[in-house]
Amino acid sequence: MTARRLAAGGRIDRTRSLAFTWDGVPLSGFAGDTVASALLAAGVRVVGRSFKYHRPRGLFGAWTEEPNAIVDVTLGEVEEPDARATVVELCAGVAARGVNGRPSVARDAYGVLDLAHRFLPAGFYYKTFLRDWPRREARIRAMAGLGRVAGTPDPRRFASRSAQCDVLVVGAGPAGLAAARAAAASGLSVIVADDRFIPGGSLHWRAATIDEQAGADWAAATVAALAAQGVRVMARTTVFGAYDHGAYGVLERAADPPAGWAAERLWTVRARRTVLAPGAIERPLVFPDNDRPGVMSADAVLHYLRVYAVRAGESAVVATNNDSAYEVALALHAAGTAVIVADLRPALPEAARAATAAGLRVMANTAVLGTIGRNGVRLVDLGPPDATSARAATMRVAADLVAVAGGWSPTVHLASQSGFRPRWDAARTAFVADTLRGDQHFIDAADIAGALEAGHAAGVAAAGALGRTVALAAPRTPPPAAAAPLRALWRVPIRGARQWVDLQNDVTADDIALAARENYASVEHLKRYTTLGMATDQGKTSNVNGLALLAEATLRTIPEVGTTTFRPPYTPVTLGAVAGLRHGRLYAPWRQLPAHAEHAALAAEMREYGGWMRPACYRRAGEDAAAAVQREAAAVRGGVGLFDASSLGKIAVAGPDAATFLNLMYYNEVATLKPGRIRYALLLQETGVVYDDGVVARLAPERYLLSPSSSHTQGVLAMLERWHQTEWPQLRVAFHDITAAWATFVLAGPAARAVLAPFTDIPLADDALPHMAVAEGRIRGIAGRIARVSFSGERSYEVSVPAGYGLALWQALLAAGAPHEITPYGVETSSLLRAEKGYILIGTDTDGMTLPDDIGMAASLRSKSVDFVGRRSLLMPEARRPDRRQFVGLLPADPATVPAVGAHAIERTADGGLRSLGWVTSAFHSPALGRSIALGMVQRGRALAAAGAVVELYHLGRITRARVCAPVFFDPTGERLRA
Amino acid sequence: MLLIECPWCGARDEPEFTYGGEPAVRPGPATEVGDAEWTGYLYLRGNEKGAHRELWCHSAGCGQWFVMERDTVTHATIAVVRR
């Protein structure tokens, strides 16, 4: 390794040396370095192994366009796979590892794959493993691929933010800053987002004089002036996606976040106008063995030299087809690198004059015909661009760097994400974005002078579109020298040698020709067949060369070939940033019951039910959950149980037309319900499917209280609102979700009334408050409500008090019930008690096909004459099929075995197969019956139950038997409810 | 992410809204509606390319349902109508 850091210069902080490791080897760099610049400074040449052939690869670019330097980065507990070394800011203690190399990218055992490259052309996997991909997938993935995912949770914190502005400027290079300056001068609110560490863009490595200052100084002064005007200038911030109506996805990375601070913030910025000033990316040149470490973008070479003070090579060939490389050649020469310039163009341009004057050897009509060197360029063959054989080389030079300048591709991605395809501009040999969404301005300039002028004009235009004027002159810069045109040469016409187009995906010029021969002539097909332009760099350097070669191979023009579709994100976005805080406990925050602390004190087993944390059961020492459920259920039937039902939905419905409206909504008749009475009712979807069940209480002639299932409360409320607003807006009725305002406890069991009586002034005598009655009154002096409804089959009172009194009431009821051995019981016990009674649990016993008649509720369809929601659907042929699945009870032949929920009831077909008749939906051991019971949905189930038929139950290959019966196992006449 | 003009609250981000599909006129009375007509009301929508009438609810705002006419190609809002 050769140290390549210059003694002075660059934008690094030489007072802060940072230690890091590369594949386990300790190295050091400076603050301000990227991992890539530190590796280059340390003389590391091989930074990766190619995806398919495991070829050694070095740095090509200096920023997000980098195709080769894919590294896994570890810093403390943070592991980031497949990071691009060129954009990872160096910090102390970083461990970086090359990917796809075993044991390391420097000495990779799979390197032998490259010898077999003739047998691994484009489409190799498709062709070879069409039939037994599943068997081979694991091995292929181990050989071809990228980094390793840690598999541990990401400890970083991520945040989400929103912002609005009049003008969003994307990019803070000369164009973006000029635009922001103009827009801000008009008094508009402006946000500038730039993905680099420091605003200024190419002004940090391309020479410029603006308003009599050095370019970088002008950038710093402009940023300071913008900040003083209240413009938010965001560094390390990528605008990765353009969405509808001026919305942009923006990822902001914190430089060095304090503990607990967000590492990245995902912004949604809504802008009235947007100035896109993203700059341009340099294209490679395509020639034989152009993938060796040491072949680099000329612009990247200049970037490393001036920003990081790193010389990319001792002796360089600068290969170019345009003028922009001459600044690079001169800078390398000034830094002490021996430089030869190979210009593809037939005659030397004006720009070559300064290089020649400086003593550089500059050759016209010269191309690189090949490179030699095992783990990096050592020798370079030069010769005429029209050479058809490597033997045509006229010169072999020693060089460890080939700086290639293949022309510039404007970064049209964001502009094109809105659906406007970029246009091929033959004069500029580039795709340009000149058809834009109405709220966007795109700046596309060939040089800094053009960028300043166009940027200023865009800022003025954006302000003008919002009715503002700009009284500010454009930044001044000396006029640039006239540039000579570029010479497009998409490959050297030498056959047989591999000329790389897409370094990240190992796609060669021959692969593209092969794909074309195999009729993958559409650019979208080409991409998928060869993988050109895929993966982390999305073809930022390779796409145009690939399209041009496809055009040549198919005898079409580049516009005829077109581009693939541009979609967000422009660069990879951390999934953690997309999730933000919406994960884990915060994804859907759990709701707690008013008496949560009491349940916790009783060591309840808390589980999540429909977003609520509720006690499943209350385990005692030495008891498992199943035993606790059995004990609690027996205690309810034998004495009294206490159940926290506060999560049960409570929707207040009020208005003169409340009865009329609810009668249109509910399947069951609820308009005739007398005040003080309760009815069980189903709510259907318009398709007739049972959506929810619950009790409807009429508190007063114009006042109802609905009790939807805990998890359906929001859905029921939304449904009521929608039908009211869109179908029956003339009805005077209003709805309010009061679930959280009330604590509701159920006292159930023969001793329930005795426990409750001392608490209330509401008469509890059976003639005053019979089953299915409700009364409002005082509970320990507080306005409350008692509803006599039962989900257990026992005498049961639902007591409701304002939520704040819930905890105290729970404690008081437990204390008062002590003489009766009152037993708190949980959701699982409640579910067992209701199963013994055959009460359905919506979503457990029913599904998205269940109609009322299927669960034995056919009467309303016959008796109700209003067009309630879902009525017409129940008259459809499908609803009247005789072989529908019906809700039944199942008594297992073996009373000691509880069948699996989901087990199929089956019949044998004539050919000896098994056919499902339905399935088990609930199954328990019943303490009341001392045996197993089950509920299920079975075809023609009611007829089977009437006949006492025995069916087979099939589960995971085992068959058991059960007798079909009516779905009620305990107290079928309901005596316990009333007595 | 659309910017939706709630006719009651003004322009708000799409996540504040619930989509309700194309408005359909409920045929009735149930006893006189044919199976085919009912099926059409339940399931068949025009799904036009271009101008498209849709029901939206400002569910995280005022809770009101309204009709928005929207271009499904350009996503431009053509009109919003209070009900």
Side-chain angles (χ1 to χ4, degrees):
Chain A
M1 294 186 192
T2 322
R4 287 178 161 162
R5 185 84 68 180
L6 300 179
R11 305 199 183 280
I12 47 172
D13 180 355
R14 291 171 196 266
T15 65
R16 289 174 59 208
S17 177
L18 304 174
F20 72 105
T21 64
W22 165 248
D23 274 345
V25 178
L27 296 173
S28 77
F30 293 114
D33 261 328
T34 59
V35 167
S37 66
L39 289 175
L40 193 66
V44 175
R45 298 198 87 183
V46 179
V47 297
R49 285 277 167 170
S50 72
F51 186 78
K52 191 168 155 189
Y53 301 114
H54 290 253
R55 300 256 296 182
R57 292 279 164 80
L59 289 167
F60 176 81
W63 194 239
T64 54
E65 77 282 6
E66 171 61 30
N68 291 334
I70 308 297
V71 297
D72 288 347
V73 174
T74 306
L75 180 62
E77 291 176 5
V78 178
E79 302 206 37
E80 189 180 356
D82 295 333
R84 284 142 300 149
T86 48
V87 299
V88 177
E89 215 163 343
L90 189 68
C91 45
V94 158
R97 286 174 45 86
V99 302
N100 208 26
R102 286 188 186 175
S104 68
V105 294
R107 294 180 292 116
D108 177 16
Y110 283 128
V112 297
L113 276 175
D114 192 42
L115 301 176
H117 70 86
R118 275 177 217 292
F119 309 106
L120 298 168
F124 168 74
Y125 299 120
Y126 296 132
K127 290 167 186 161
T128 310
F129 299 120
L130 198 60
R131 283 192 186 77
D132 51 344
W133 174 256
R135 204 156 59 77
R136 299 185 189 260
E137 182 180 358
R139 288 207 60 182
I140 291 169
R141 289 209 188 280
M143 285 192 288
L146 297 171
R148 258 174 257 163
V149 176
T152 51
D154 188 339
R156 289 176 296 177
R157 186 184 172 90
F158 297 94
S160 313
R161 289 288 181 277
S162 301
Q164 295 176 39
C165 59
D166 293 320
V167 180
L168 171 66
V169 178
V170 181
L177 289 176
R181 185 177 163 274
S186 75
L188 294 170
S189 67
V190 178
I191 293 176
V192 183
D194 187 272
D195 63 352
R196 298 181 190 272
F197 310 144
I198 318 169
S202 61
L203 295 175
H204 292 292
W205 66 94
R206 290 273 170 185
T209 304
I210 307 170
D211 289 345
E212 277 80 48
Q213 300 171 78
D217 295 339
W218 176 84
T222 303
V223 168
L226 287 171
Q229 291 173 75
V231 172
R232 187 199 292 268
V233 182
M234 302 169 76
R236 297 182 176 83
T237 301
T238 306
V239 180
F240 62 81
Y243 301 95
D244 291 309
H245 300 169
Y248 291 85
V250 179
L251 184 70
E252 180 190 21
R253 294 170 295 277
D256 187 13
W261 255 237
E264 296 181 1
R265 302 201 289 185
L266 191 88
W267 291 77
T268 305
V269 175
R270 185 81 73 171
R272 296 169 73 197
R273 310 289 303 180
T274 305
V275 176
L276 301 171
I281 293 171
E282 189 168 57
R283 293 194 291 263
L285 291 169
V286 180
F287 53 80
D289 290 325
N290 58 335
D291 70 327
R292 293 199 196 282
V295 178
M296 296 177 71
S297 150
D299 192 56
V301 167
L302 191 63
H303 190 139
Y304 285 113
L305 189 67
R306 291 196 171 144
V307 175
Y308 307 111
V310 179
R311 212 152 49 96
E314 299 288 328
S315 53
V317 170
V318 175
T320 186
N321 66 3
N322 71 92
D323 284 0
S324 68
Y326 283 92
E327 185 180 356
V328 184
L330 282 166
L332 278 174
H333 174 73
T337 295
V339 177
I340 294 175
V341 180
D343 196 318
L344 279 173
R345 293 171 289 187
L348 285 184
E350 188 64 25
R353 193 182 295 262
T356 313
L360 274 61
R361 181 159 184 196
V362 182
M363 294 179 292
N365 201 39
T366 303
V368 179
L369 299 186
T371 67
I372 295 158
R374 191 172 143 76
N375 277 326
V377 174
R378 196 161 47 81
L379 300 169
V380 180
D381 284 341
L382 302 174
D386 56 357
T388 53
S389 159
R391 287 190 297 276
T394 53
M395 200 176 158
R396 172 167 287 186
V397 300
D400 58 353
L401 173 65
V402 182
V404 293
W408 296 87
S409 296
T411 307
V412 298
H413 302 63
L414 277 180
S416 303
Q417 282 176 11
S418 304
F420 298 97
R421 299 253 172 181
R423 181 181 63 80
W424 180 252
D425 184 332
R428 294 189 40 206
T429 326
F431 279 101
V432 297
D434 52 7
T435 305
L436 296 167
R437 204 170 71 185
D439 59 333
Q440 292 178 339
H441 308 260
F442 186 78
I443 305 172
D444 178 8
D447 51 42
I448 287 172
L452 291 168
E453 186 186 334
H456 182 78
V460 170
L466 298 176
R468 301 293 184 101
T469 53
V470 178
L472 183 72
R476 283 166 293 114
T477 190
L486 167 154
R487 179 186 176 189
L489 181 73
W490 302 113
R491 64 178 290 176
V492 179
I494 296 177
R495 296 288 157 189
R498 280 187 288 174
Q499 308 192 29
W500 303 86
V501 179
D502 186 328
L503 295 172
Q504 184 155 106
N505 294 294
D506 270 353
V507 180
T508 65
D510 283 346
D511 285 328
I512 293 168
L514 176 69
R517 283 202 303 280
E518 295 182 351
N519 206 27
Y520 291 95
S522 146
V523 60
E524 299 283 6
H525 290 158
L526 174 77
K527 174 172 178 174
R528 282 145 190 87
Y529 192 57
T530 63
T531 68
L532 173 80
M534 291 189 173
T536 63
D537 70 340
Q538 287 288 298
K540 288 181 176 57
T541 54
S542 62
N543 273 348
V544 171
N545 286 340
L547 301 176
L549 288 168
L550 180 64
E552 280 186 3
T554 54
L555 305 177
R556 289 178 295 174
T557 62
I558 292 173
E560 282 170 342
V561 169
T563 64
T564 53
T565 307
F566 290 88
R567 295 187 183 89
Y570 171 65
T571 48
V573 175
T574 316
L575 287 176
V578 176
L581 292 174
R582 297 181 301 270
H583 64 92
R585 288 288 299 270
L586 296 178
Y587 176 68
W590 291 333
R591 303 176 75 181
Q592 291 188 348
L593 301 166
H596 182 87
E598 275 299 297
H599 303 312
L602 290 166
E605 181 162 321
M606 305 299 287
R607 295 184 197 164
E608 191 253 66
Y609 296 92
W612 289 87
M613 284 307 283
R614 302 174 67 187
C617 58
Y618 300 78
R619 285 165 58 180
R620 290 181 178 166
E623 195 180 50
D624 66 8
V629 168
Q630 295 287 313
R631 171 180 54 75
E632 290 169 12
V636 171
R637 301 243 186 262
V640 60
L642 181 62
F643 177 69
D644 192 336
S646 302
S647 64
L648 195 65
K650 290 175 271 289
I651 296 176
V653 181
D657 296 322
T660 307
F661 176 77
L662 290 178
N663 214 34
L664 285 164
M665 291 304 302
Y666 276 92
Y667 172 67
N668 306 73
E669 171 66 50
V670 293
T672 58
L673 193 62
K674 291 185 171 53
R677 290 297 172 144
I678 294 173
R679 192 164 289 163
Y680 173 78
L682 298 181
L683 197 56
L684 311 186
Q685 295 169 350
E686 186 75 314
T687 54
V689 168
V690 177
Y691 173 65
D692 195 46
D693 71 343
V695 295
V696 176
R698 192 169 199 174
L699 301 174
E702 298 187 358
R703 211 154 62 82
Y704 283 81
L705 183 65
L706 316 180
S707 298
S709 316
S710 298
S711 57
H712 274 170
T713 310
Q714 290 305 311
V716 169
L717 183 67
M719 186 175 168
L720 298 174
E721 282 289 355
R722 179 170 182 173
W723 279 96
H724 180 227
Q725 289 184 35
T726 64
E727 194 64 34
W728 300 299
Q730 74 282 5
L731 296 180
R732 294 161 299 165
V733 60
F735 322 97
H736 192 45
D737 176 9
I738 56 169
T739 306
W742 295 88
T744 300
F745 304 125
V746 175
L747 278 165
R753 182 168 59 182
V755 175
L756 182 59
F759 282 79
T760 182
D761 61 357
I762 297 172
L764 298 182
D766 284 349
D767 54 348
L769 193 71
H771 182 55
M772 299 304 259
V774 61
E776 292 175 297
R778 301 261 157 195
I779 318 289
R780 294 180 107 199
I782 297 300
R785 185 174 61 241
I786 296 175
R788 189 161 167 202
V789 293
S790 179
F791 199 45
S792 59
E794 299 298 321
R795 170 187 290 278
S796 172
Y797 299 91
E798 263 182 31
V799 188
S800 297
V801 292
Y805 293 90
L807 193 80
L809 180 62
W810 175 273
Q811 291 167 333
L813 289 170
L814 271 189
H820 302 276
E821 293 186 42
I822 190 167
T823 301
Y825 67 100
V827 176
E828 295 304 314
T829 307
S830 173
S831 183
L832 162 58
L833 291 168
R834 66 89 205 172
E836 288 179 333
K837 288 290 292 181
Y839 298 147
I840 60 161
L841 209 51
I842 292 287
T844 296
D845 298 302
T846 67
D847 59 29
M849 296 167 71
T850 308
L851 305 180
D853 182 59
D854 302 341
I855 52 173
M857 294 183 66
S860 295
L861 182 60
R862 290 192 295 272
S863 60
K864 262 179 96 167
S865 56
V866 298
D867 281 343
F868 58 84
V869 174
R871 182 190 189 198
R872 179 61 186 82
S873 293
L874 302 180
L875 306 171
M876 299 292 279
E878 176 64 24
R880 293 157 169 265
R881 281 171 53 158
D883 61 346
R884 292 191 62 84
R885 285 186 290 272
Q886 294 168 332
F887 186 56
V888 292
L890 295 161
L891 280 171
D894 175 5
T897 303
V898 179
V901 171
H904 281 264
I906 53 164
E907 66 177 6
R908 310 259 173 182
T909 58
D911 59 359
L914 305 179
R915 185 181 158 275
S916 173
L917 298 170
W919 45 81
V920 174
T921 58
S922 298
F924 293 91
H925 177 80
S926 161
L929 277 73
R931 59 157 300 146
S932 56
I933 57 168
L935 297 166
M937 298 292 293
V938 178
Q939 275 186 357
R940 303 176 200 265
R942 284 198 290 270
L944 293 173
V950 171
V951 293
E952 290 180 308
L953 298 180
Y954 175 94
H955 180 64
L956 299 178
R958 293 193 53 204
I959 291 177
T960 56
R961 300 163 81 80
R963 188 162 56 79
V964 185
C965 60
V968 53
F969 301 99
F970 182 73
D971 186 26
T973 54
E975 286 167 29
R976 298 172 70 92
L977 281 175
R978 283 173 277 274
Chain B
M1 185 172 65
L2 302 178
L3 188 65
I4 295 175
E5 191 78 28
C6 169
W8 302 93
C9 305
R12 295 289 190 278
D13 279 346
E14 186 179 340
E16 291 187 21
F17 295 83
T18 302
Y19 180 62
E22 284 180 54
V25 177
R26 191 177 197 231
T31 45
E32 292 172 22
V33 178
D35 288 350
E37 186 185 355
W38 187 254
T39 302
Y41 155 70
L42 281 183
Y43 301 113
L44 303 182
R45 297 293 181 269
N47 200 23
E48 281 90 0
K49 181 178 180 180
H52 190 246
R53 276 165 53 82
E54 299 168 343
L55 278 166
W56 285 83
C57 179
H58 192 191
S59 45
C62 62
Q64 293 301 298
W65 284 91
F66 58 92
V67 173
M68 175 161 73
E69 193 174 3
R70 197 172 69 85
D71 190 311
T72 54
V73 178
T74 66
H75 295 186
T77 306
I78 299 165
V80 286
V81 185
R82 290 184 180 186
R83 289 193 62 88

